Amino acid sequence: MRIYSIVFHVLKKNPDENYNSIPPYIEIIFPNHLLYKIPTDIIERNHFKLQSGYPGCRVLNSTVNEIGSCSIFLKKDSDIIAVSNMHVMGSQFITDSTSYVPDLGNNLPKVVIGQDQSIKGTVFRGAFNDRLDVAFCRIDPNDHQKVSNIVPGVGKIQGYYNATNNYNKYKEVKVYGNISKLQRSTIKNVSTILEFNYSTDNLSFYHIFYGVSCLEDSVTSGGDSGGIVIMNDNQIIGIVLGSDGKNTYYLPYIRIKDYFNAIVL
């Protein structure tokens, strides 16, 4: 967010308000040769928790060793839900190009999320067809405090935006994925057809997505699937499907919301 502070971790804060061993700010010269006054803060031990889950962070389906990216965290009732592609979170259940919606049985995909793989979750719903490639993962309640919708270098996601009309062509966007990190591009087409051959070690078939969007250039790599696409006002507009080497394609978020209605965390 380009807002800095220097945080001191102490066993216990001194109750004496006149005790000024730590100054209210520290002057630092940045690489641009400008002098900044960086404010300080003091936090007692155990009151500070690192968040390892954020939009664009790593998602691993350990069953098939499929790596991708998380796009956003949602909240529905008491659940916190991570969103990514079905071909990332539940690729072992894709048998052909038709729709797949898992039931709530015991054989659901287990995934780990975060750069340190510390966040555990279970996929409880998903779809892979000509309009959707999306899966929803229920985060373990013990890991709720580890996630946030703050994108590194961008800030907090501010809801969603329907960018599927032609008014949004040529608008600038930001893309964040596990491999490529923060990238910038421009919307080339808000509704196009994507044709490709889907293949895994045990499966291969021809597939078509209708009404997906694409960017002017390719700004993603393998492992960025499921990453987040954001407008400049930090509203999510889609999740990454993949790239053909020339353009990056993404699934409009409004279509995901119509399929599974939940609020942005």
Side-chain angles (χ1 to χ4, degrees):
M1 297 176 69
R2 306 303 183 197
I3 300 173
Y4 300 92
S5 67
I6 299 173
V7 180
F8 293 85
H9 295 253
V10 299
L11 293 177
K12 189 167 182 61
K13 290 184 179 180
N14 194 312
D16 185 357
E17 295 181 359
N18 296 319
Y19 186 75
N20 294 319
S21 62
I22 297 177
Y25 63 85
I26 294 175
E27 293 184 344
I28 295 179
I29 298 177
F30 274 51
N32 59 8
H33 305 297
L34 295 178
L35 180 67
Y36 289 86
K37 292 183 176 181
I38 308 299
T40 62
D41 194 9
I42 305 170
I43 296 177
E44 290 187 357
R45 189 181 66 176
N46 297 329
H47 289 189
F48 184 83
K49 294 180 180 179
L50 291 174
Q51 295 174 323
S52 59
Y54 52 83
C57 74
R58 190 172 190 253
V59 172
L60 172 64
N61 179 340
S62 54
T63 303
V64 292
N65 203 31
E66 187 75 46
I67 296 175
S69 304
C70 174
S71 62
I72 197 167
F73 293 98
L74 306 177
K75 183 175 177 60
K76 188 162 189 175
D77 301 324
S78 60
D79 290 329
I80 292 180
I81 298 158
V83 182
S84 186
N85 296 133
M86 189 64 184
H87 80 258
V88 171
M89 285 186 174
S91 62
Q92 66 267 45
F93 290 93
I94 298 175
T95 57
D96 53 34
S97 61
T98 60
S99 176
Y100 162 72
V101 179
D103 60 22
L104 297 179
N106 297 320
N107 191 29
L108 296 177
K110 304 289 185 181
V111 298
V112 288
I113 299 171
Q115 301 309 106
D116 58 359
Q117 302 180 40
S118 68
I119 302 167
K120 299 176 179 62
T122 304
V123 178
F124 67 95
R125 186 173 180 180
F128 185 88
N129 52 40
D130 58 7
R131 292 183 57 81
L132 288 169
D133 178 6
V134 63
F136 303 91
C137 170
R138 185 177 288 112
I139 301 297
D140 188 305
N142 294 324
D143 296 330
H144 282 187
Q145 77 281 2
K146 296 180 181 179
V147 306
S148 77
N149 276 329
I150 297 177
V151 183
V154 175
K156 185 172 173 51
I157 298 300
Q158 303 295 330
Y160 69 94
Y161 177 70
N162 182 6
T164 57
N165 57 61
N166 285 326
Y167 170 76
N168 295 285
K169 288 180 67 174
Y170 313 118
K171 284 193 173 181
E172 294 182 352
V173 298
K174 302 166 188 173
V175 184
Y176 199 104
N178 170 50
I179 301 299
S180 301
K181 307 306 180 186
L182 181 61
Q183 301 291 325
R184 299 175 188 274
S185 189
T186 305
I187 297 175
K188 178 180 181 179
N189 198 324
V190 295
S191 182
T192 188
I193 296 174
L194 173 61
E195 303 179 53
F196 68 102
N197 290 314
Y198 180 86
S199 61
T200 64
D201 292 339
N202 303 311
L203 182 68
S204 179
F205 57 82
Y206 175 73
H207 192 68
I208 300 178
F209 283 120
Y210 292 100
V212 300
S213 302
C214 76
L215 303 178
E216 287 284 357
D217 43 21
S218 179
V219 293
T220 54
S221 303
D224 289 329
S225 291
I228 189 168
V229 185
I230 322 161
M231 298 292 282
N232 278 332
D233 56 3
N234 288 7
Q235 292 180 307
I236 180 174
I237 62 168
I239 73 172
V240 174
L241 283 174
S243 169
D244 60 4
K246 297 179 180 179
N247 306 103
T248 286
Y249 294 83
Y250 65 92
L251 186 69
Y253 181 76
I254 189 67
R255 192 177 296 177
I256 296 171
K257 180 174 173 55
D258 289 343
Y259 175 65
F260 181 78
N261 189 17
I263 63 173
V264 175
L265 180 65

